[in-house]
Amino acid sequence: MGRMVVVGGEVQSRGLFGGNRTAPEWIGLSVAIGTALLIVLAGGSSVVALILAAVLVLAGVILTTPNKLSGHRSLGALFVEVRHKKVRAKNKSLVYVPVKDRPQTRMVKAGKKDRERADENGLIEVPVRHKDNAPLMVGTVRHFAIDTPEGQLVIFRHQGKVKKSYYTATVEVMGSSSGIREEYRKESGHVARGQYLARLARRQSLVTHIQTLARAVPMDSADHLLWVKRRVAQNVPRILLESYGELCETTRSRSEQHRTYETFRIPGSAALYRRAEAYGSGDEGIGQAIYQEIRSAMAQASMMGSITNSRPLGPEAMAALLRHLQDPDFDIDDYDGANLMDCWQHLDGAASPISLVVNDHWHIRTGYVPASAFSPAPIPVEALEAIISGIQPAVVHSVSMVMELEDARSARSKARSDAAMDRATSNKVSKSGVVTDGTEEVLMGASHQRLLDLKPGSGHHGAAYGLYISFAVEDANEILSTTDIVEAAASDAGIEFIDWLDHRNDLALITTMPFTRGIR
């Protein structure tokens, strides 16, 4: 029997109020409880004050608790998103127009020095400096490139509205090919992958997050058909040509091209800057320190059999990848005209409530898979292959897994706390004799499994993760039917539902791009 793993079981949050809340939802609930306490303190033992406080707490719980009826979202979150979209519609930030498609000059009133070249209205033409040369979802980011023995590596520094600035760098990885293998070697790649991640999760590692991005596009048979046309003999029977054409069409609809990328997030910490001093000053020293950390990780992954090869992405390769992830009409390897300063396409978040419209042609829909969506039952380690290479017919799609790594000591402490809480809840339910839906047993099983996995000496570490899926279609009428195809493949992977990020697809697209975004 193949190796089985349990990735589900976290069906709801623990604690007095439960619910899989996000940080803003917890803040909203805390505000409601705090206000209720103030009312009780101010009103004393007044019945009116107690009733008002109870109503306020109840309203806070209802508004901040995700539920199935609202698509696994809270009512408060849905309201805030609708209001946020209306505000963005007013300030015209729902649609991103590339800098090259905007007016490059504007007319202004001429000063005394420029009156000679002014027109009859006293106006002169001056260039426009556009500050927002990237969509809102990207945030405040700057990039720089360094030279490495393997080629150029582009590094992004993320700053602005983040708790702490951090750097990201991406490499393309080539995994081992699938095929017929001995049973004892079948899961060797998965085991090696786990050991590779455990190495990155150590306290000595500079890496805090890692993102694996898998991109799949239907195979293009045009080049092959042109090659056949140039070499086919004149006297080949027509029926043979038609039969071969049908075979190529069938193969095209069922075959995909797969590319995989690893993105590493390294915070701007004192440890990073100390290492950077050995390689030089400024961006060069920081870049080389980051490269050495990534090179060491890739060498370890290759030695253990997790990957067979890797290559760093330079500015042109990264620009081509970002351009392709927005508009699949651009090939991943088409570097012609690829530039990080203008690789962003026309993104319309207002044209459709369930998709992002790119260049008035492609429709992209993005979904999030929360921890509660995974089946609590054990699944094979290769189960996620169903949503990477098992979608039929072939669909242009991306699957992104973002992990926030946590060393074993911290993860073990959290698992022990959760297990203690689950055991207390289970004992309380048993004594009360109440018949439940089994949520308590599932939670206790999940925390107990984590404790077993993280026991001292196991070599295992912890991680928080976010799984995102996006797909692209050319016709708006294909969005819902393609959604059914993707959800069917997700079901085969042990995923019970996908939270489609509608009304905010223009912001959600960043989660399936190599920037390590998406941890909730």
Side-chain angles (χ1 to χ4, degrees), residues 415-429:
R416 185 169 60 249
S417 175
D418 289 345
M421 193 179 300
D422 293 338
R423 186 171 299 175
T425 302
S426 178
N427 291 338
K428 181 179 178 181
V429 171

Side-chain angles (χ1 to χ4, degrees), residues 148-150 153 171 195-197 199-200 202 204-207 210 264 266 275 279 287-304 306-307 310:
T148 74
E150 302 171 89
L153 173 66
V171 297
Q195 293 171 337
Y196 154 72
L197 291 175
R199 181 186 184 279
L200 291 176
R202 296 177 307 151
Q204 299 88 340
S205 174
L206 296 177
V207 178
I210 185 168
F264 301 84
I266 298 177
R275 294 194 194 183
Y279 299 102
Q288 291 296 336
I290 291 173
Y291 167 70
Q292 292 300 328
E293 184 78 3
I294 294 174
R295 184 188 66 82
S296 176
M298 289 292 96
Q300 178 80 5
S302 179
M303 180 183 69
M304 302 182 72
S306 176
I307 64 172
S310 64

Side-chain angles (χ1 to χ4, degrees), residues 34-75:
T35 306
L37 289 175
L38 290 176
I39 293 175
V40 171
L41 293 175
S45 58
S46 169
V47 176
V48 175
L50 293 175
I51 293 175
L52 186 59
V55 170
L56 191 59
V57 172
L58 181 61
V61 172
I62 293 174
L63 291 175
T64 62
T65 304
N67 60 83
K68 293 182 179 180
L69 297 178
S70 57
H72 301 279
R73 306 298 309 286
S74 69
L75 297 177

